[in-house]
């Protein structure tokens, strides 16, 4: 359908009486779908897979969160009991959600900014050196047994690198059980996660910087942009807004979904649940205790937390360049 016809339909909807607007809007929607039917046809395979493997499991998990389900019996509807138990009776969950939010507040923004800063610096290097440095920074996020390095550093005996250096310098006299001491566990996990954070978001920023039109900088110089910071704010960042959005989603999701680093370094469970996160709590009830209804309630809370945070961040990123 031509664009002028669509605009005429929209004008007609605006002028229609209130009782007939719903029917007019549905008619307009159908006309727009018909006009873009080729696009919908091309999207259909992906949308079918997305609906089947993403939307349906999320909906099922939300429904199961209102039931008692132990994998042996048919789910039994119990209303809000799982959520009441979660927030009023489960002290470990309160520790987990506190640790997760703290972890996300620290690692999310820092890793996001670090990804962009390193990508911005590396982008200024010659092509061959840029490719090498990209590999150097990206390698930790794809390494297999990368936690073994940090277990050697923070080993609780005199052979651990941290203890050995501190004893040699005279800072401490006896080895510290780094990963078994409640005060040290969370800072160590945050440190390791920051080291691992230059992953997919980092590559997205590198790609985004490569696609910025160089002529925009020349036009900006004519319009009064005088330094690199003004170029960054008014040209570079607005030009790579899709990559910024993608990087924000990736980094925040990784921050809220932390589990592997906690289990690998602090054990499962950690000492006094000092490194317990929402995801490790979910793993405990979902794979160890098989309380699937309760685990679904935990997953639903985490899902809402992620979605709300991502919407807030995307709203802030839309103001970039203003």
């Amino acid at each position: 359908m031509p664009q002028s016809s669509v605009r005429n339909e929209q004008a007609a909807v605006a002028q229609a009486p209130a009782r007939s607007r719903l029917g007019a809007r549905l008619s307009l929607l159908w006309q727009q779908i018909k006009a873009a039917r080729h696009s919908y046809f091309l999207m259909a395979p992906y949308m079918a897979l997305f609906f089947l493997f993403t939307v349906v499991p999320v909906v099922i998990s939300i429904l199961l969160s209102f039931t008692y389900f132990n994998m042996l019996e048919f789910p039994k509807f119990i209303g809000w009991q799982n959520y009441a138990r979660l927030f009023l009776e489960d002290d470990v969950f309160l520790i987990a959600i506190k640790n997760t939010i703290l972890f996300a507040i620290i690692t999310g923004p820092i890793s996001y900014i670090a990804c962009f800063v390193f990508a911005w610096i590396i982008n200024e290097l010659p092509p061959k050196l840029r490719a090498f440095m990209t590999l150097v920074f990206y390698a930790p996020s794809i390494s297999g047994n990368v936690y073994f390095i940090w277990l050697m550093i923070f080993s609780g005996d005199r052979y651990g690198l941290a203890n050995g250096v501190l004893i040699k310098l005279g800072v401490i006299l006896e080895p510290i059980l780094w990963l078994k001491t409640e005060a040290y566990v969370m800072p160590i996990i945050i440190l390791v996660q920051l080291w691992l954070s230059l992953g997919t978001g980092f590559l997205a920023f590198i790609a985004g910087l490569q696609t910025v039109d160089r002529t925009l900088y020349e036009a900006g110089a004519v319009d009064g942009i005088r330094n690199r910071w003004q170029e960054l704010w008014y040209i570079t960042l607005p030009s790579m807004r899709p990559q910024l959005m993608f990087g924000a989603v990736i980094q925040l999701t990784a921050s809220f979904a932390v589990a592997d680093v906690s289990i690998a370094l602090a054990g499962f469970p950690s000492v006094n649940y000092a490194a317990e996160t929402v995801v490790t709590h979910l793993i405990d009830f979902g794979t160890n205790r098989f309380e699937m209804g309760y685990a679904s309630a935990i997953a639903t809370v985490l899902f809402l937390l992620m979605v709300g945070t991502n919407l807030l961040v995307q709203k802030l990123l839309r103001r970039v360049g203003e």
Side-chain angles (χ1 to χ4, degrees):
M1 176 182 291
Q3 293 296 325
S4 57
S5 300
V6 174
R7 286 194 292 268
N8 292 336
E9 290 280 352
Q10 292 173 340
V13 170
Q15 297 173 1
R19 60 185 179 182
S20 63
R21 284 183 183 176
L22 178 59
R25 286 174 181 169
L26 292 176
S27 176
L28 175 60
L29 177 62
W30 177 247
Q31 293 296 331
Q32 291 175 338
I33 292 175
K34 287 176 63 178
R37 58 185 178 276
H38 299 296
S39 300
Y40 286 106
F41 179 76
L42 294 173
M43 291 170 57
Y46 168 79
M47 293 305 297
L49 292 174
F50 177 78
F51 182 80
L52 183 62
F53 293 105
T54 301
V55 177
V56 171
V58 169
V59 173
I60 292 175
S61 177
I62 293 173
L63 294 177
L64 285 177
S65 69
F66 296 98
T67 67
Y68 172 78
F69 183 35
N70 59 8
M71 297 288 289
L72 298 176
E73 304 172 318
F74 191 79
K76 177 183 177 182
F77 181 75
I78 58 174
W80 295 94
Q81 290 185 25
N82 285 328
Y83 293 96
R85 174 186 170 190
L86 202 60
F87 290 99
L88 300 179
E89 300 177 13
D90 193 343
D91 294 335
V92 177
F93 175 74
L94 297 180
I95 295 174
I97 201 166
K98 181 196 72 173
N99 288 342
T100 301
I101 292 175
L102 176 65
F103 195 90
I105 289 174
I106 296 175
T107 63
I110 293 178
S111 62
Y112 182 74
I113 294 172
C115 282
F116 180 80
V117 170
F118 284 120
W120 189 34
I121 295 172
I122 291 173
N123 187 61
E124 300 297 321
L125 300 175
K128 291 184 179 180
L129 182 58
R130 180 171 62 229
F132 175 74
M133 294 303 298
T134 300
L135 176 62
V136 169
F137 279 89
Y138 182 64
S141 66
I142 58 175
S143 300
N145 195 16
V146 68
Y147 304 118
F148 178 72
I149 299 172
W150 294 96
L151 288 173
M152 290 178 59
I153 294 174
F154 292 107
S155 177
D157 52 30
R158 292 178 177 271
Y159 299 102
L161 297 181
N163 280 331
V165 171
L166 292 177
I167 290 174
K168 187 173 182 179
L169 294 176
V171 178
I172 59 175
L173 299 177
E174 296 294 331
I176 298 175
L177 297 175
W178 298 100
L179 299 175
K180 299 299 179 183
T181 303
E182 188 174 350
Y184 299 129
V185 171
M186 201 62 182
I188 291 173
I189 293 176
I190 290 173
L191 172 65
V192 175
Q193 183 63 28
L194 288 173
W195 182 68
L196 294 170
S197 63
L198 296 181
T200 307
F202 170 71
L203 293 183
F205 291 153
I206 289 283
L209 290 166
Q210 292 292 307
T211 60
V212 177
D213 188 354
R214 309 305 298 181
T215 60
L216 293 176
Y217 295 110
E218 299 175 4
V222 174
D223 290 339
I225 291 180
R226 293 290 176 259
N227 55 59
R228 294 298 300 276
W229 295 109
Q230 290 180 343
E231 285 183 355
L232 176 66
W233 183 254
Y234 292 108
I235 298 176
T236 305
L237 293 180
S239 297
M240 53 182 298
R241 188 173 280 122
Q243 289 82 12
L244 294 176
M245 292 285 189
F246 176 77
V249 172
I250 292 296
Q251 296 302 129
L252 285 173
T253 301
S255 298
F256 279 110
V258 61
D260 291 343
V261 61
S262 174
I263 294 173
L265 297 181
F268 185 58
S270 56
V271 55
N272 290 332
Y273 299 102
E276 186 82 356
T277 66
V278 175
V279 176
T280 59
H281 203 54
L282 171 61
I283 293 172
D284 184 18
F285 281 91
T287 63
N288 294 343
R289 310 188 192 196
F290 293 102
E291 295 186 29
M292 306 308 294
Y294 193 67
S296 296
I298 298 173
T300 301
V301 172
L302 180 62
F303 171 74
L304 294 176
L305 192 61
M306 284 183 176
V307 170
T309 306
N310 280 323
L311 290 176
L312 176 62
V313 171
Q314 290 180 23
K315 184 177 180 180
L316 294 176
L317 288 176
R318 290 190 186 100
R319 299 183 179 181
V320 170
E322 295 180 359

